[in-house]
Amino acid sequence: MSSDQGGNQTWGGRFSEAPDALVQAFTASVAFDRRLFLHDIRGSIAHARMLARVGVLTERERDKIVEGLEQILVEIERGEFAWLDELEDVHMNIEARLTDRIGDVGKKLHTGRSRNDQVATDLRLLLRDEIDGLLGELARLRAGLIEVAEREADTIMPGFTHMQVAQPVTVGHHLLAWQAMLERDAGRLADCRKRVNVLPLGAAALAGTTFPIDRESVAAELGFDGVAENSLDAVSDRDFVIEFLSAAALIMTHLSRVSEELILWLSPAFGFVDLPDRYCTGSSIMPQKKNPDVPELVRGKTARVTGHLMSLLTLMKGQPLAYNRDNQEDKEPLFDTLDTVRHCLGLYADMVPHLGFDAAACRRAARRGFATATDLADYLVRNGVAFRDAHEIVGKAVRHAIDAGCDLAELSLEDLQRFSKAIGPDVFDVLTLEGSVAARNHIGGTAPEQVRIAAKRARQRLEADAPAT
Ligand code: ARG
């Protein structure tokens, strides 16, 4: 309670005046950290139960506190909770409301803890749940890619290097490359989750507490794998946020690369693929336009997530042990990252099964760029020509085909034989697109048969590491 002589409601006896209005506005975090309410209440309930187990609270006190906290949770979920800036943050808002509701016994909840270990606990609990949600969205997207890869296992498109037509590949093979990126991302999230899932509570402000606390039992109740070993580190560490943001930035980098390819493929200049209208937008001036705004925005939002990773790295770089208020700045970048990545993954997971490939357009593009030139060189090698000589011979044949305005496969046998006597009538088998992809029939290769096998293996791995429900 504030004293009547101009005391300070939040900070109590030591303070002789109320905070400056600007300072209060500047330091308050409740506008954004209220997002932690559920995990704050869960952590407080576990703390109160432990305090009763070790005899710091009576069972009656514990029951009143737990019941009060559960009622506050309902109030918040119903939107009836009055969040107050003057109470600074989510922790003080909930604690003050507890004392309002249940009286002085509410003031005992904060025994043996500090907001420093409390906020670190809340953040880890929330992030753990969010990682599980993201793993679910990643799994959904990966499943969609595998499904479309199987559907398009035989569809031939140009493979590019330097954005120039290189060799024919199958669409399914390309989609499984995207899947491979996202599979690594899921592994990184799962790995990061292990280091998130450690309990800081018990570190109190920085040095531990004089009460006979039982941290292991709190860890077990909250589903943590263990307790943080060092109290100074426990309240100060934000590695787990940085690790998560770096995994998130990589996810976005991958989605951005996928987006870039989709944007190209959706352009009428390529015309490889189409998206249902509901995933596209129009132009206010050009009536013919169907714009790929979702992939463009995903590509654009990658910038903010990369920025958030830089924010956290910079936030931590000069901090001495233990807790510093700087750490309050960890939340907005983290929360924005969580929302951004979840929306982007969710949209892609919804969209990918509806990708409609135009096999004829893909095939036309593959034929245009002499995509089977390497196959001709390999053919010559099989017929006894050294690879470097074969490279030279095929280069000349391509030059000739460019001048004649046709593909290698459209040259006559006599024409081709002018470049090498090693060419026979069976050359046309290797100059077809189907022959070219089918010949790359080994693990990791683009042959339709391999794509089907790879898709099956990817699905087995996906099912094996699906988050336990
Ligand atoms: N709002 C603070 C944060 O986000 C909670 C911890 C405050 N601790 C303190 N000693 N002022 O980090």
Side-chain angles (χ1 to χ4, degrees):
M1 250 350 279
S2 62
S3 77
D4 294 332
Q5 295 81 18
N8 183 308
Q9 195 168 3
T10 311
W11 308 118
R14 191 230 181 281
F15 283 76
S16 58
E17 60 178 0
D20 178 85
L22 270 180
V23 169
Q24 189 173 293
F26 185 71
T27 53
S29 55
V30 65
F32 53 85
D33 69 14
R34 55 199 266 190
R35 179 166 176 161
L36 293 167
F37 73 87
L38 173 64
H39 302 94
D40 191 71
I41 288 175
R42 277 190 196 153
S44 288
I45 289 176
H47 181 65
R49 288 192 179 134
M50 181 277 290
L51 289 178
R53 279 196 297 278
V54 301
V56 173
L57 291 179
T58 66
E59 291 187 357
R60 224 185 100 69
E61 287 170 335
R62 175 201 61 202
D63 291 346
K64 285 193 83 171
I65 288 174
V66 170
E67 202 183 307
L69 288 168
E70 280 167 352
Q71 286 162 350
I72 290 171
L73 181 57
V74 174
E75 269 178 32
I76 297 172
E77 280 169 345
R78 289 200 181 134
E80 293 164 358
F81 190 91
W83 297 100
L84 299 177
D85 249 8
E86 52 271 35
L87 289 172
E88 201 174 286
D89 59 21
V90 60
H91 323 293
M92 308 275 278
N93 267 270
I94 290 175
E95 198 191 317
R97 180 71 186 128
L98 181 67
T99 302
D100 272 2
R101 286 195 70 115
I102 67 171
D104 279 354
V105 57
K107 296 180 180 171
K108 296 193 173 188
L109 170 63
H110 211 52
T111 311
R113 76 170 184 188
S114 151
R115 281 184 300 156
N116 298 351
D117 57 345
Q118 186 179 357
V119 70
T121 303
D122 295 2
L123 213 51
R124 285 172 183 269
L125 283 172
L126 174 125
L127 184 52
R128 187 181 72 190
D129 283 355
E130 295 274 359
I131 287 175
D132 291 343
L134 291 178
L135 282 170
E137 292 297 70
L138 263 175
R140 208 157 66 81
L141 172 51
R142 289 165 59 198
L145 286 170
I146 294 166
E147 175 198 318
V148 184
E150 279 175 333
R151 197 159 78 212
E152 306 292 347
D154 297 289
T155 310
I156 294 176
M157 63 178 275
F160 299 91
T161 58
H162 314 272
M163 215 43 227
Q164 305 291 318
V165 172
Q167 293 172 356
V169 295
T170 50
V171 170
H173 195 53
H174 197 113
L175 297 181
L176 288 181
W178 293 351
Q179 195 295 128
M181 300 178 194
L182 297 170
E183 183 172 344
R184 290 193 298 276
D185 288 329
R188 267 183 286 271
L189 279 185
D191 189 51
C192 162
R193 189 191 191 282
K194 293 180 200 152
R195 280 173 297 278
V196 169
N197 203 27
V198 177
L199 175 77
L201 204 64
L206 76 165
T209 173
T210 56
F211 295 95
I213 55 171
D214 174 5
R215 300 182 65 202
E216 270 83 10
S217 71
V218 178
E221 174 165 347
L222 292 173
F224 284 106
D225 295 328
V227 304
E229 284 258 352
N230 181 294
S231 64
L232 294 168
D233 179 50
V235 292
S236 126
D237 169 36
R238 294 294 182 273
D239 293 5
F240 67 99
V241 180
I242 294 176
E243 268 192 78
F244 169 75
L245 292 178
S246 101
L250 258 179
I251 292 174
M252 290 303 297
T253 296
H254 289 154
L255 291 184
S256 184
R257 296 184 65 185
V258 167
S259 297
E260 170 63 12
E261 294 194 306
L262 279 179
I263 292 161
L264 288 171
W265 296 356
L266 285 158
S267 158
F270 282 74
F272 291 180
V273 76
D274 199 11
L275 268 180
D277 288 356
R278 64 182 177 282
Y279 294 116
C280 298
T281 56
S283 158
S284 58
I285 172 170
M286 297 165 284
Q288 85 283 10
K289 294 292 291 294
K290 177 170 160 182
N291 292 332
D293 291 36
V294 170
E296 286 175 299
L297 273 169
V298 169
R299 190 177 59 185
K301 283 174 190 290
T302 303
R304 71 160 83 191
V305 175
T306 305
H308 294 327
L309 169 61
M310 294 308 128
S311 292
L312 259 286
L313 284 167
T314 313
L315 178 69
M316 297 311 292
K317 76 170 275 298
Q319 279 198 48
L321 291 174
Y323 175 83
N324 303 280
R325 192 62 178 273
D326 313 42
N327 281 356
Q328 184 165 293
E329 289 291 309
D330 62 0
K331 288 173 200 64
E332 287 166 293
L334 174 62
F335 294 164
D336 186 67
T337 298
L338 292 171
D339 294 339
T340 303
V341 177
R342 187 161 32 79
H343 289 151
C344 293
L345 283 175
L347 267 169
Y348 262 109
D350 291 349
M351 219 163 64
V352 155
H354 304 290
L355 288 174
F357 283 89
D358 181 339
C362 291
R363 197 188 161 75
R364 264 197 312 278
R367 287 198 69 90
R368 258 203 309 267
F370 304 102
T372 55
T374 316
D375 296 272
L376 178 55
D378 289 352
Y379 167 90
L380 289 169
V381 169
R382 283 194 296 276
N383 288 356
V385 181
F387 183 80
R388 210 28 81 203
D389 295 332
H391 187 283
E392 175 72 17
I393 291 164
V394 178
K396 286 184 174 142
V398 167
R399 180 74 254 165
H400 176 76
I402 291 171
D403 293 341
C406 67
D407 186 56
L408 285 175
E410 288 159 356
L411 296 174
S412 67
L413 181 59
E414 296 74 61
D415 264 351
L416 284 165
Q417 281 173 331
R418 282 201 286 128
F419 299 99
S420 171
K421 292 279 155 275
I423 295 177
D426 58 346
V427 71
F428 293 102
D429 300 339
V430 310
L431 291 180
T432 66
L433 296 173
E434 283 72 16
S436 173
V437 293
R440 289 166 170 80
N441 194 11
H442 54 76
I443 184 163
T446 193
E449 190 185 338
Q450 290 298 326
V451 170
R452 288 193 186 89
I453 295 169
K456 196 174 287 169
R457 276 199 307 262
R459 185 174 290 115
Q460 281 162 0
R461 290 193 303 271
L462 178 61
E463 280 160 11
D465 65 30
T469 41

